[in-house]
Amino acid sequence: MTLLILPLMDGASEMGEEGSQIQTTSDYFSENAHKLTSFLISFFAVALFWKGHERMFAHAGHFTAPLLRLNFIWMGGVVFFPVATSLMNQSVDGDKGGVVLYIGILMLVAFVNLLMCIIIRRDTRTWKEDAPNVPS
């Protein structure tokens, strides 16, 4: 999630420099409104998915090969969120590619999350030793 903030750092480092359009904090926020929007959308989407992931894996103590592969796909989707969000927010009129990509990444991450949940629920090899019953 730390990487989400990097696009905002470019404008902040330019503030006050000679020839820069960004001379004040107000200038910074008005010039970077789309980046701030992208950041907030990405941050909350990643936070929600991460919280669900953490909750699901609280019941798992071991990885199987399929669970590990799915987890890597899930992480790749989450890491790609900032790109998809930025493309969605910077799309020009008529270009739906960014919106389609963003929805696709959301669906991918949610679907992979569902598959991981099914594996954890069904495969007792993934459970923690002290797990009293099937995770909820």
Side-chain angles (χ1 to χ4, degrees):
M1 288 182 65
T2 307
L3 297 177
L4 295 175
I5 200 73
L6 291 179
L8 296 172
M9 294 305 297
D10 294 335
S13 65
E14 294 172 8
M15 190 165 92
E17 290 183 2
E18 189 173 326
S20 173
Q21 293 180 1
I22 303 172
Q23 295 297 317
T24 65
T25 303
S26 178
D27 292 341
Y28 172 80
F29 283 106
S30 64
E31 286 288 322
N32 290 286
H34 67 282
K35 289 181 182 178
L36 289 163
T37 302
S38 294
F39 167 76
L40 291 173
I41 291 170
S42 291
F43 181 86
F44 286 112
V46 170
L48 288 172
F49 276 116
W50 191 256
K51 182 62 180 162
H53 185 270
E54 185 271 332
R55 184 172 170 236
M56 178 175 46
F57 275 91
H59 299 287
H62 308 281
F63 277 91
T64 59
L67 185 59
L68 185 62
R69 282 191 293 272
L70 286 170
N71 196 51
F72 284 135
I73 293 168
W74 182 89
M75 287 188 297
V78 168
V79 168
F80 199 72
F81 259 115
V83 175
T85 306
S86 181
L87 290 172
M88 179 181 67
N89 285 335
Q90 294 182 12
S91 294
V92 294
D93 292 336
D95 179 17
K96 304 292 184 215
V99 173
V100 170
L101 180 63
Y102 184 79
I103 291 170
I105 293 296
L106 279 175
M107 290 174 58
L108 172 73
V109 172
F111 181 68
V112 170
N113 200 60
L114 173 65
L115 293 176
M116 289 190 300
C117 186
I118 290 169
I119 289 173
I120 291 171
R121 289 178 60 99
R122 291 185 179 173
D123 190 343
T124 58
R125 294 175 300 163
T126 65
W127 298 0
K128 289 183 177 178
E129 282 79 17
D130 61 350
N133 54 20
V134 177
S136 55

